[in-house]
Amino acid sequence: MRIAVVQGDGIGKEVIPAALEVLDALSLPIEKVPVELGYDKWKKTGYAITEDDLDILKECDCILFGAITTPPDPAYKSVLLTIRKELDLYANIRPIKPIDGIMGITERNDFNFVIVRENTEGMYSGIEEIHEDVAYTKRVVTRKGSERIAEYACKLAKKRQKRLEIVHKSNVLKSDKLFLDICRHTADIHNVEYHDTLVDTMAYNLIAHPNRYDVIVTTNLFGDILSDLAAVLVGGLGLVPSANIGKKHAFFEPVHGSAPDIAGKGIANPIAAILSMKMMLEWYQLTDLARLVQDAIEYTINQNLVTPDLGGKATTNEVGEAIAARVKQLIG
Ligand code: NAI
Ligand code: MG
């Protein structure tokens, strides 16, 4: 097992060491390859990511990633978009389910769904024109891109409750009409029950009726926004993991960003990063170990060893250490 480890910027440098501590507690034969990427690197070297970095990322089995700061500077090209495109990580998977011991602000725990977000095109096509008085971003939806994300979502739905929700804005956006038609057709082929909802209605339904959903498939920007919104159900951004999956590569990262407002204080919640590492274990088909990590997280939360975002006093390190210690205990 050879894993590229990218801490990135801000709290990425705090939550990834905590996730690695838990990974180390599993005593797996893993080679960890540190790769420095991001805004801090850009400030030092003028590059946020180089061709050599991309080669290293491609040579590893997969990538465990913290977060990267994207400054609003047109000269700075988003590292994440570069990686997603270069490694063709077309499916962004964001599971939203309650964590034992934590109540989100809606105070309900009767939901369990996965957002499957198209990750390479849509509003994040990177095709832009900036002039003095007008700027354009081209929204790209292709048959190939829509078919493969719909396939992914249908296969996932078949392993779960076999229900697909297609989220779009086809009443206004012609590009989403293509997306919707392809998703419907793919669901028919796979014999998966489906329904579709406009994205604005979905923003409401996700909070008002989260128990309606199983697998939600949508385009890039809508998936990005809805998954941060869904974090409210779980108890915050510090708890939501994600995987970016392609045909050849995989990349695991918390949904949250580099959180400059709390960076350096040692109070970032490492659970989203640890759960992202858990998704990596599942990708390696180490399902029992993944379950064990989940148990250790829940045990630690129930000991009230949590960071301030969950109302506790523990530091990032303390939470990481406690979860790692519990993992060692469970392994025996
Ligand atoms: P953010 O996700 O970094 O933070 C939003 C809010 O949630 C902040 O108040 C932050 O303190 C809190 N938060 C986030 N993660 C937390 C954690 N683990 N524990 C406790 N509290 C947590 O989003 P924001 O502030 O909009 O973006 C900051 C930077 O991160 C920007 O430069 C943005 O471009 C970048 N970003 C990077 C992402 C990535 O690398 N995948 C994803 C999202 C944003
Ligand atoms: Mg986001």
Side-chain angles (χ1 to χ4, degrees), residues 7-9 11 15 39 65-72 76 78-80 84 94 117 224 228 236-240 242 244 251 253-263 267-273 307-310 316:
Q7 296 188 354
D9 301 310
I11 63 167
V15 296
Y39 185 44
F65 184 96
I68 276 185
T69 301
T70 306
Y76 182 94
S78 165
V79 170
L80 266 178
R84 285 173 183 162
R94 299 181 163 192
R117 160 189 172 197
D224 194 3
D228 272 32
L237 274 174
L239 298 168
V240 186
S242 78
N244 297 266
F251 175 110
E253 55 161 346
V255 165
H256 65 71
S258 59
D261 54 341
I262 57 165
I267 56 166
N269 189 344
I271 292 178
T307 43
D309 55 311
L310 299 179
T316 312

Side-chain angles (χ1 to χ4, degrees), residues 196-213:
D196 69 274
T197 303
L198 294 173
V199 65
D200 36 358
T201 309
M202 190 64 186
Y204 177 84
N205 283 352
L206 211 53
I207 302 300
H209 311 290
N211 55 336
R212 282 186 188 167
Y213 304 107

Side-chain angles (χ1 to χ4, degrees), residues 1 10 16 41 71 101 122 130 144-145 161 180 204 229 235 244 266 281 297 306 310:
M1 296 161 88
I16 289 299
K41 175 170 172 147
I130 302 168
K144 178 186 162 210
Q161 305 295 314
L180 175 61
Y204 177 84
L229 179 70
N244 297 266
L281 296 174
I297 291 172
V306 292
L310 299 179

